[in-house]
Amino acid sequence: GINAEYMGLPELAKLNAEKKENNPDGSGAYLWYLDHLGTMQRVPYATQGHAGTFATAVCDRYHKPDLTQEQSIHLMKQCIAEVQKRIVINNPKFIVKIVDKNGVRLVNVD
């Protein structure tokens, strides 16, 4: 798993230790959102940037905690389609990565 202390985030490392969220088997990984004011909250998904509002709306509607990897990729494709429909700037290429206990890898969403 990712060592939060090594990443320069001692507060997160302490929080994970208190909640026993750093398990040796790789389970217990969570997504945290940190806003511009320094507020940190555990979230099931997160989006950023100008298109984030549109992608968040799609995730709000279709995200479920038990999505399979294939369903998650489909959800990303739905987010991309919504962003392409609503944002005036033509951005035909998106990069999607999976981060899990096996590491980080690129996913083709074309």
Side-chain angles (χ1 to χ4, degrees), residues 29-88:
Y30 296 96
L31 178 63
W32 295 88
Y33 185 82
L34 180 66
D35 71 8
H36 66 286
L37 299 174
T39 304
M40 187 170 67
Q41 181 174 348
R42 194 169 103 185
V43 294
Y45 52 84
T47 64
Q48 295 182 0
H50 295 294
T53 303
F54 306 116
T56 296
V58 173
C59 290
D60 284 345
R61 182 166 186 171
Y62 298 110
H63 176 269
K64 294 181 280 188
D66 60 344
L67 289 175
T68 65
Q69 182 172 308
E70 291 77 24
Q71 290 170 325
S72 298
I73 292 170
H74 178 72
L75 179 57
M76 287 290 89
K77 289 179 181 181
Q78 288 178 286
C79 289
I80 290 169
E82 189 68 20
V83 168
Q84 288 176 325
K85 180 170 78 173
R86 302 225 181 231
I87 299 290
V88 178

